[in-house]
């Protein structure tokens, strides 16, 4: 996963582009003493991408076991907080790779369940024989095993931890997020209804740059879940 939470230096760029962005409706003013959106997020100068508490399968482990561990990693990355996970898939492990199929997998996390769609594509198959034998002794399959999240787990703590990541010591911006972000909720990948905010001074007023909380997923052999923040209209937030 590429950690895509915006750094403080990137957020401060709003101050220099405020006149342009204001026309697009992405920046609002809460004024001096005006109501501020959401709740304040604690600021920290460091952030570590969380990993599953389960150990990775050993080298040479079945590919399905490896894929399930990647599902756990994707779930924890999206949730933003290390916690116990348990992956399960609805298929016959002994037949993986011998037939094309699509099946469901789940990962339990923080009392919720992330959901994945896994697919097997058989690329080729051939009869094999042992050295010195003139007759086939089995079938060798080459296949592709992929998975993509269809639902991930969003957590309030994970959103706050990433939005509050603030490596610059000379930045006096205030960082906030909607108060309605749930402690943990199952949501489909993509934009969520929730916003976070960067409050900064511009002239004599406090400006508000709003960002939508987004959960993304990448299709591939190693499913990826990530939490990011994209510019949004501050007036459309539930706060």
């Amino acid at each position: 996963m590429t950690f895509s939470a915006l750094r403080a230096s990137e957020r401060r760029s709003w101050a220099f582009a405020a006149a342009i962005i204001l026309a697009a409706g992405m920046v609002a003013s809460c004024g001096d003493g005006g109501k501020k959106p959401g709740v304040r997020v604690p600021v920290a100068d460091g952030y570590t991408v969380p990993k599953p508490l389960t150990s990775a399968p050993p080298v040479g482990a079945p590919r399905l076991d490896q894929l399930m561990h990647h599902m756990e990693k994707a779930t924890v990355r999206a949730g933003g907080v290390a916690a116990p996970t348990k992956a399960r898939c609805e298929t016959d492990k002994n037949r993986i790779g011998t037939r094309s199929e699509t099946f469901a997998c789940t990962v339990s996390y923080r009392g919720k369940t992330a959901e994945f769609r896994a697919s097997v594509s058989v690329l080729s198959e051939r009869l094999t024989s042992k050295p010195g034998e003139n007759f086939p002794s089995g079938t060798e399959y080459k296949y592709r095993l992929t998975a993509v999240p269809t639902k991930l787990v969003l957590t309030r703590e994970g959103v706050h931890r990433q939005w509050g990541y603030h490596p610059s010591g000379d930045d006096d911006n205030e960082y906030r997020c909607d108060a309605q972000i749930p402690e943990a909720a199952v949501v489909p990948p993509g934009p969520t209804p929730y916003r976070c905010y960067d409050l900064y001074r511009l002239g004599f007023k406090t400006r508000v740059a709003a960002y939508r909380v987004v959960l993304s997923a990448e299709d591939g052999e190693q499913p990826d879940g990530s939490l990011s923040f994209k510019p949004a209209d501050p007036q459309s937030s539930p706060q």
Side-chain angles (χ1 to χ4, degrees):
M1 179 201 73
T2 299
F3 175 64
S4 52
L6 297 177
R7 299 297 189 270
S9 60
E10 293 173 312
R11 297 173 191 164
R12 288 199 304 275
S13 66
W14 282 93
F16 299 101
I20 298 175
I21 301 176
L22 181 59
M26 292 183 180
V27 175
S29 172
C30 60
D32 294 326
K35 183 180 178 180
K36 296 179 179 180
V39 296
R40 190 161 191 166
V41 173
V43 173
D45 59 3
Y47 178 83
T48 301
V49 177
K51 298 180 180 179
L53 301 181
T54 55
S55 299
V59 176
R63 289 169 63 180
L64 182 59
D65 291 344
Q66 298 178 35
L67 185 66
M68 288 195 294
H69 185 68
H70 286 303
M71 293 177 189
E72 293 177 327
K73 289 174 64 177
T75 300
V76 173
R77 280 195 298 262
V81 183
T85 53
K86 179 64 177 178
R88 295 182 176 84
C89 288
E90 298 177 359
T91 187
D92 182 354
K93 291 185 177 182
N94 297 324
R95 297 191 60 182
I96 285 292
T98 64
R99 58 182 178 176
S100 295
E101 61 174 321
T102 300
F103 53 91
C105 296
T106 59
V107 176
S108 58
Y109 169 75
R110 297 283 294 241
K112 303 295 182 179
T113 301
E115 299 178 6
F116 295 78
R117 184 180 65 254
S119 298
V120 175
S121 299
V122 177
L123 305 178
S124 65
E125 59 180 279
R126 69 181 183 88
L127 297 176
T128 61
S129 60
K130 296 180 181 179
E133 294 182 346
N134 296 321
F135 56 87
S137 59
T139 305
E140 179 183 84
Y141 296 90
K142 290 185 178 180
Y143 64 95
R144 184 168 183 256
L145 177 60
T146 65
V148 60
T150 55
K151 291 185 179 179
L152 292 166
V153 180
L154 176 78
T155 74
R156 182 190 309 132
E157 182 179 353
V159 172
H160 285 190
R161 287 180 61 191
Q162 287 202 30
W163 189 242
Y165 172 45
H166 178 63
S168 176
D170 60 355
D171 190 342
D172 58 358
N173 292 19
E174 181 178 340
Y175 303 102
R176 305 176 71 87
C177 290
D178 288 338
Q180 289 87 347
I181 297 177
E183 182 177 353
V186 177
V187 298
T192 73
Y194 309 108
R195 309 286 193 277
C196 287
Y197 310 91
D198 181 359
L199 278 62
Y200 59 90
R201 298 292 297 183
L202 185 63
F204 296 101
K205 291 186 177 182
T206 298
R207 298 293 185 179
V208 180
Y211 295 81
R212 183 191 295 264
V213 180
V214 179
L215 286 178
S216 62
E218 296 177 4
D219 196 359
E221 293 187 6
Q222 298 183 9
D224 177 76
S226 62
L227 178 64
S228 61
F229 304 91
K230 307 297 183 184
D233 180 359
Q235 305 300 329
S236 64
S237 170
Q239 302 183 14

